[in-house]
Amino acid sequence: MLGTVISRWTEMQVIVAKEGQSVLQNKIYVIPPDTVMTIGGGRLHVRRRTSPKDTLTVDTFLASLARDQGENAVCIVLSGTGADGSIGIKAIKEYGGLTFSQGSDGTEARFKEMPANAAATGLVDLVLPVQDMPRRLIDFANRQLELDERHKASGERPSPALRTLYTLLRTRLGHDFSRYKDRTFLRRVQRRMQVLQVSSLDDYTERLKADTNEAGQLFRDLLIGVTNFFRDRDAFTALETHLPRLFEGKGADEFVRVWVTGCATGEEAYSLAMVLREHADATASAPKIQIFATDIDENALAIARTGIYPESVLSDVPPARLKRFFFREGTSYRVVKEIRDLCVFSSHSLIRDPPFSRLDLISCRNLLIYLNTDLQTQVIPLFHYALRPGGILFLGTSENVSRHGDLFSALDKRWRVFERLNLVTRPEMPFPMLARSAGGLRADRGPTFYPISGAGESGPTLQMVLRQIATTVQEHYGPGYVVANKAGEVVYYSGRTGKYLEAAEGPPNRDLVSMARKGLRLDLRAALHRARESGETVAHERLSVQIDGGSQLIKLVVQPVSDSGETLYLIVFTDLGQITHRDDSEDEPGKDDRDNTVQQLERELQLTRERLQTTVEEFDTSSEELKSSNEELLSVNEELQSANEELETSKEEIQSINEELQTVNAEISNKVEELDRANVDLKNLFESTQVATIMLDNNLTIRSFTPAVGAIFNLIPSDRGRPLTDIVSRLDQPNLERDIRTVISRGEVIEKRATSDGGKVHYLMRIIPFRTSDNKIKGALVTFVDISNVTQAEEHEKILVSELNHRVKNVLDSVISIVGNTLKRSDSLETFSQNAPDRLAALARTHDIVSRHNWTSVPIRDLMLAELAPYVRGAARKNVTLKGGDVSLVSHAALAIGAAIHELVRRAAKVGSLSTPGGSLSIRWAVGNTAFESMLELRWIEKNGKAETAKKAKAPSPDFNIDLINQRLRTETGGEAQVENTRTGFRCTIMLPAARNTIPAQIRPRRSQKRGQLKVTRRGRR
């Protein structure tokens, strides 16, 4: 419906995009439903959605627009929900485009999420209400054309206003942008001019001079902090194939060192950290990983150090890596500590600050494209210096090292993966690339020129002209010269030195004396020696140098030059006359010729004597030095040979190590701040919680505690560091120390109840081991939760249960009374009237006994005594014997046994041993083992009863219901009763499984004097 809705509000033609359709002016193109649209070559491309990532249709289109249109792309984010478009804005900014977002001046967007998320990226150039956007777009287009025309007219030469901008930024911020690409720099400046409504570059320069804050605003716009996780997925795949070489030959005590330049918000650094962590996990003895991630944008570094990213930024992270290396925090994701600890983020300028050293991998992707050719030429050798032999350089797809093919070889040309070559001689180091402080050498972009008095505004131009003139005169008319160091190695050549120097035989070297031509070598060595010893200028007149079959008379001058503590030697060769050649075809020389020859020979003889004298002096001096140092040289020769190379390397690395120390110090400072915040959070948590907690070490020394502990232990803040055993406790827990040591030694958790103040306060005490990050036990954590209310509720519940049982008994009594009254008034059902009341009464008695024992453990003896009470006490006392162990029944078994005893007592009272004075009753019970299981056996033995006669020995008693007994026993206990009538009396044997019906004596609870409280005893009677 979008096309229909838009067409109501515009006269332009609204078109639903089709595959391959060209984009024309004054037309509006709408994406079809359920599709993904991109642009390439000015044509739209449409395809169906095929993956979950295709839901971010705005980001996908903006990324293709940025690649296709570059600096001409304009992105406007209007009202909408979600964060789609935030990633696309980064792509637009990366390629130099313009970005707008709908903002508020009283007319807010109806749906604020999309414009708000876009503005939150910090990459939106202008936040405006919709009605102000057309005017700004037209101004932008007009200025774009004007800028292009000026750029063409200037012939790529920077204007004075642009040079002033460079100077102001370098002075106020300490960063030099003069060697960034002019066009890129101008585009970023134009963005600020658009925001400030400034029409010309000169006006903006004046604004920058007057407004001290504008330099910072321009600085943020100049920093192109655009990156994402696993940028160019195929490039990372190509890099991963070469990562194993970084781990080869390294042990667990060594490091794989990585430098990520221009890391922005850290996505590139974390991506490399994840890849390297995976390779390390697959290596048996993996080295440690250390990643230095640097940038000059402190705001971006703050985001990188936090390591928290919105879900939309992680769209390119594979699901497996997202699950392993991130964890969710609300709507965002945080990098896990394992990966965060591998990365050190620090402010560092690739142009201004010394590089890192001894690196295995350098990632510098899409940074060189913003630097001019001169600066790129200096950066690539700097990377060569920083890498170890065989190290890897990882560049962006638009970058290359083609001008330094002697320093790097390509491992993967397409994805710009290069290997450092190990050279015989080290290339000249280009750092530091900015000028040193006053009085020091300058190594920025050539020699320093000093202004000529009265030059005024034309000073810099006149200096450039004079420099060009001086260079021309020197090249065409000046003498040849070289500059050497104290070791006699050439550090600089002028033109036309081939007449005096030639390459020596063997490997390439820069030794000046070995390169000197015949006739010059001895005098050159002597002059260098004398200049080093005396520190003064040494000159030799009329030296004859053999050149191409002839000889050239020259004047040799060696002059020491000192600057900032370093001494170099300028060696100047000045020709005297022309080259003379010997002509063998000439006639015999005349007298004048002979005189000239004699004079020439005398001069040469004099020179030879001088040389000899110099040589003798040098020899004598050298002999004395050699005699005194010969023994020392012999003893330290081998050490010097092995240490020489290390000293040379260390001298150059000291500055880099200092920079690394500053980086580490900055990281430590950040971690200290994070630790302080964490400590404050923990302190507030401890003070607010109502759970008493004590942290102890392995020696039971108090490490920390919460304020709530004061109700249990008399602790004050100064007690930290004291043993817990020295502190007075209100707990009724004598085994606390033993329990804590058990937890520390075994690593188990102990949880039990504890009381204080004489049992008035109840706690749930939980002791757990205190484990470190490497899963080692370093103490214990003891917590006390007040459960006094819960304990009181339990006691109250027991009272309620007891009351309920009492009421049940009353109900049963009422039933008995009603049945009795009914039977009195009834003339029928004689059998029922005789049996029912007794049985109901017996059931009530049994329930009462079980209730008194809290329905947990009922002694058999108590059941017997309850039924036999009329026959074992008082005047009606009978001959009754009870014999058996301390056996207690569970509730269901007690009810069944009680019913059986009642039936047996009724029978004995009517026709058995309890019905005659001479009868006797013996009841025995015991728990014994059979072939199959442990059984409880109860024997009921009667003698001399009324019904026991010889004639009726085996006849069953009509008053005894064995079926009723067996029915309940089998159903509730799994047992059985058997009866027999003998000549001497009646017998009943009851057998039931002991395991399910009895309670072992060692765990049997026994009621104490206080109601509702249970005690555990091994044996005992009620």
Coordinates of all heavy atoms in Angstrom, one line a residue, residues 966-1006:
N966 N -7.9 -60.6 58.7 CA -7.0 -60.8 57.5 C -7.3 -59.8 56.4 O -6.4 -59.4 55.6 CB -7.2 -62.2 56.9 CG -6.4 -63.2 57.7 OD1 -5.3 -62.9 58.1 ND2 -6.8 -64.5 57.8
Q967 N -8.5 -59.4 56.3 CA -8.9 -58.4 55.2 C -8.1 -57.1 55.4 O -7.5 -56.5 54.5 CB -10.4 -58.1 55.2 CG -10.8 -57.1 54.1 CD -12.3 -56.9 54.1 OE1 -13.0 -57.4 54.9 NE2 -12.7 -56.0 53.2
R968 N -8.1 -56.6 56.7 CA -7.4 -55.4 56.9 C -5.8 -55.5 56.9 O -5.1 -54.7 56.4 CB -7.8 -54.8 58.3 CG -9.2 -54.4 58.3 CD -9.5 -53.4 59.5 NE -8.7 -52.2 59.3 CZ -8.8 -51.2 60.2 NH1 -9.7 -51.2 61.2 NH2 -8.1 -50.1 60.0
L969 N -5.4 -56.7 57.4 CA -3.9 -56.9 57.4 C -3.4 -57.0 56.0 O -2.4 -56.4 55.7 CB -3.6 -58.2 58.2 CG -3.7 -58.1 59.7 CD1 -3.5 -59.5 60.3 CD2 -2.7 -57.1 60.3
R970 N -4.1 -57.7 55.1 CA -3.6 -57.9 53.8 C -3.6 -56.6 53.0 O -2.8 -56.3 52.2 CB -4.4 -59.0 53.0 CG -4.2 -60.4 53.6 CD -5.2 -61.3 53.0 NE -5.1 -62.7 53.6 CZ -6.0 -63.6 53.5 NH1 -7.2 -63.4 53.0 NH2 -5.7 -64.8 54.1
T971 N -4.7 -55.9 53.2 CA -4.9 -54.6 52.5 C -3.9 -53.5 52.9 O -3.3 -52.8 52.1 CB -6.3 -54.1 52.6 OG1 -7.2 -55.1 52.2 CG2 -6.5 -52.8 51.8
E972 N -3.7 -53.4 54.2 CA -2.9 -52.2 54.7 C -1.5 -52.6 55.0 O -0.6 -51.7 55.0 CB -3.6 -51.7 56.0 CG -5.0 -51.2 55.7 CD -5.7 -50.6 57.0 OE1 -4.9 -50.3 57.9 OE2 -6.9 -50.4 57.0
T973 N -1.2 -53.8 55.3 CA 0.2 -54.2 55.7 C 0.8 -55.2 54.9 O 2.1 -55.4 54.9 CB 0.2 -54.7 57.2 OG1 -0.4 -55.9 57.3 CG2 -0.4 -53.6 58.1
G974 N 0.1 -55.9 54.1 CA 0.6 -57.1 53.3 C 0.9 -58.3 54.2 O 1.6 -59.2 53.8
G975 N 0.3 -58.3 55.4 CA 0.5 -59.5 56.3 C -0.7 -60.4 56.3 O -1.6 -60.3 55.6
E976 N -0.6 -61.4 57.3 CA -1.7 -62.4 57.4 C -1.7 -63.0 58.8 O -0.7 -63.0 59.5 CB -1.4 -63.5 56.4 CG -2.5 -64.6 56.3 CD -2.2 -65.6 55.2 OE1 -1.1 -65.7 54.7 OE2 -3.1 -66.4 54.9
A977 N -2.9 -63.4 59.2 CA -3.1 -64.0 60.5 C -3.6 -65.4 60.4 O -4.4 -65.7 59.5 CB -4.1 -63.2 61.4
Q978 N -3.0 -66.3 61.2 CA -3.4 -67.7 61.2 C -3.8 -68.1 62.7 O -3.1 -67.7 63.6 CB -2.3 -68.6 60.8 CG -1.9 -68.4 59.3 CD -0.8 -69.3 58.8 OE1 -0.2 -70.1 59.7 NE2 -0.5 -69.3 57.6
V979 N -4.9 -68.9 62.8 CA -5.4 -69.3 64.2 C -5.5 -70.8 64.2 O -5.6 -71.5 63.2 CB -6.7 -68.7 64.5 CG1 -6.7 -67.2 64.5 CG2 -7.8 -69.1 63.4
E980 N -5.4 -71.3 65.5 CA -5.6 -72.8 65.7 C -6.1 -73.0 67.1 O -5.7 -72.2 68.0 CB -4.3 -73.5 65.4 CG -3.1 -73.1 66.3 CD -1.9 -73.9 66.0 OE1 -2.0 -75.1 65.6 OE2 -0.8 -73.4 66.3
N981 N -6.9 -74.0 67.3 CA -7.4 -74.4 68.6 C -6.7 -75.7 69.0 O -6.8 -76.7 68.3 CB -8.9 -74.6 68.6 CG -9.6 -73.2 68.5 OD1 -9.3 -72.3 69.3 ND2 -10.5 -73.1 67.5
T982 N -5.9 -75.7 70.1 CA -5.2 -76.9 70.5 C -6.0 -77.5 71.8 O -6.9 -76.9 72.2 CB -3.8 -76.6 70.9 OG1 -3.8 -75.7 72.0 CG2 -3.1 -75.9 69.7
R983 N -5.4 -78.6 72.3 CA -6.0 -79.2 73.5 C -5.9 -78.3 74.7 O -6.7 -78.3 75.6 CB -5.4 -80.5 73.7 CG -5.7 -81.6 72.7 CD -5.0 -82.9 73.0 NE -5.3 -83.9 72.0 CZ -6.3 -84.7 72.0 NH1 -7.2 -84.6 73.0 NH2 -6.5 -85.6 71.1
T984 N -4.8 -77.5 74.7 CA -4.6 -76.7 75.9 C -5.1 -75.3 75.7 O -5.2 -74.5 76.7 CB -3.1 -76.6 76.1 OG1 -2.5 -76.0 75.0 CG2 -2.5 -77.9 76.4
G985 N -5.4 -74.8 74.5 CA -5.9 -73.5 74.4 C -6.0 -73.0 72.9 O -5.9 -73.8 72.0
F986 N -6.1 -71.7 72.8 CA -6.2 -71.0 71.5 C -4.9 -70.2 71.1 O -4.3 -69.6 72.0 CB -7.4 -70.0 71.6 CG -7.5 -69.1 70.4 CD1 -8.2 -69.6 69.2 CD2 -7.1 -67.8 70.4 CE1 -8.3 -68.8 68.1 CE2 -7.2 -67.0 69.3 CZ -7.8 -67.5 68.1
R987 N -4.6 -70.3 69.8 CA -3.4 -69.6 69.3 C -3.7 -68.8 68.1 O -4.4 -69.3 67.2 CB -2.2 -70.6 69.0 CG -1.7 -71.2 70.3 CD -0.4 -72.0 69.9 NE 0.2 -72.6 71.1 CZ 1.3 -73.3 71.1 NH1 2.0 -73.4 69.9 NH2 1.8 -73.8 72.2
C988 N -3.1 -67.6 68.0 CA -3.1 -66.8 66.7 C -1.8 -66.2 66.4 O -1.1 -65.7 67.3 CB -4.1 -65.7 66.9 SG -4.3 -64.6 65.5
T989 N -1.3 -66.4 65.2 CA 0.0 -65.9 64.8 C -0.2 -64.9 63.7 O -0.8 -65.2 62.6 CB 0.9 -67.1 64.3 OG1 1.0 -68.0 65.3 CG2 2.2 -66.5 63.9
I990 N 0.3 -63.7 63.9 CA 0.2 -62.6 62.9 C 1.6 -62.4 62.3 O 2.6 -62.1 63.1 CB -0.3 -61.3 63.5 CG1 -1.8 -61.6 64.0 CG2 -0.3 -60.2 62.4 CD1 -2.4 -60.4 64.7
M991 N 1.8 -62.4 61.0 CA 3.0 -62.2 60.3 C 2.9 -61.0 59.3 O 1.9 -61.0 58.5 CB 3.5 -63.4 59.5 CG 3.7 -64.6 60.4 SD 5.2 -64.6 61.4 CE 6.4 -64.8 60.1
L992 N 3.8 -60.0 59.4 CA 3.7 -58.9 58.4 C 5.1 -58.4 58.1 O 6.0 -58.5 59.0 CB 2.9 -57.8 58.9 CG 3.3 -57.0 60.1 CD1 2.6 -55.6 60.1 CD2 2.8 -57.7 61.4
P993 N 5.4 -57.9 56.9 CA 6.8 -57.5 56.5 C 7.2 -56.3 57.4 O 6.5 -55.4 57.6 CB 6.6 -57.0 55.1 CG 5.4 -57.8 54.5 CD 4.5 -57.9 55.7
A994 N 8.4 -56.5 57.9 CA 8.9 -55.4 58.8 C 9.3 -54.2 58.1 O 9.2 -53.1 58.7 CB 10.1 -56.0 59.7
A995 N 9.8 -54.3 56.9 CA 10.4 -53.1 56.2 C 9.4 -52.1 56.0 O 9.7 -50.9 56.1 CB 11.0 -53.6 54.9
R996 N 8.1 -52.4 55.6 CA 7.1 -51.4 55.3 C 6.2 -51.1 56.4 O 5.4 -50.2 56.3 CB 6.3 -51.9 54.1 CG 5.6 -53.3 54.3 CD 4.8 -53.7 53.1 NE 3.6 -52.9 53.0 CZ 2.6 -53.2 52.1 NH1 2.7 -54.3 51.4 NH2 1.6 -52.5 52.0
N997 N 6.3 -51.8 57.6 CA 5.4 -51.6 58.6 C 6.0 -51.1 59.9 O 5.3 -50.7 60.8 CB 4.6 -52.9 58.9 CG 3.7 -53.2 57.6 OD1 2.8 -52.5 57.3 ND2 4.1 -54.3 57.0
T998 N 7.3 -51.3 60.1 CA 8.0 -50.9 61.4 C 9.0 -49.8 61.1 O 9.4 -49.6 60.0 CB 8.6 -52.1 62.0 OG1 9.7 -52.6 61.2 CG2 7.6 -53.2 62.2
I999 N 9.4 -49.2 62.2 CA 10.4 -48.2 62.2 C 11.6 -48.7 63.0 O 11.5 -49.1 64.1 CB 9.9 -46.9 62.8 CG1 8.7 -46.3 62.0 CG2 11.0 -45.8 62.8 CD1 8.1 -45.1 62.5
P1000 N 12.9 -48.7 62.3 CA 14.1 -49.1 63.1 C 14.3 -48.3 64.3 O 14.0 -47.1 64.4 CB 15.2 -48.9 62.0 CG 14.5 -49.0 60.7 CD 13.2 -48.4 60.9
A1001 N 14.8 -49.0 65.3 CA 15.0 -48.3 66.6 C 16.0 -47.2 66.6 O 15.8 -46.2 67.2 CB 15.5 -49.4 67.7
Q1002 N 17.0 -47.2 65.7 CA 18.1 -46.2 65.7 C 17.6 -44.8 65.2 O 18.2 -43.8 65.4 CB 19.3 -46.6 65.0 CG 19.1 -47.0 63.5 CD 18.8 -48.5 63.4 OE1 18.3 -49.1 64.3 NE2 19.1 -49.1 62.2
I1003 N 16.5 -44.8 64.4 CA 16.0 -43.6 63.9 C 14.6 -43.2 64.4 O 13.9 -42.4 63.8 CB 16.0 -43.6 62.3 CG1 15.0 -44.7 61.8 CG2 17.4 -43.9 61.8 CD1 14.8 -44.6 60.3
R1004 N 14.1 -44.0 65.4 CA 12.8 -43.8 65.8 C 12.6 -42.5 66.6 O 13.4 -42.2 67.6 CB 12.4 -45.0 66.7 CG 10.9 -45.0 67.1 CD 10.6 -46.2 67.9 NE 11.1 -47.3 67.2 CZ 11.7 -48.4 67.8 NH1 11.8 -48.4 69.1 NH2 12.1 -49.4 67.1
P1005 N 11.7 -41.6 66.2 CA 11.5 -40.4 67.0 C 10.7 -40.7 68.3 O 9.8 -41.5 68.3 CB 10.7 -39.5 66.1 CG 10.0 -40.4 65.1 CD 10.9 -41.6 65.0
R1006 N 11.1 -39.9 69.3 CA 10.4 -40.1 70.6 C 9.9 -38.8 71.1 O 10.6 -37.8 71.0 CB 11.3 -40.7 71.6 CG 10.7 -40.9 73.0 CD 11.7 -41.4 73.9 NE 11.2 -41.5 75.3 CZ 11.9 -41.7 76.3 NH1 13.2 -41.9 76.2 NH2 11.3 -41.8 77.5

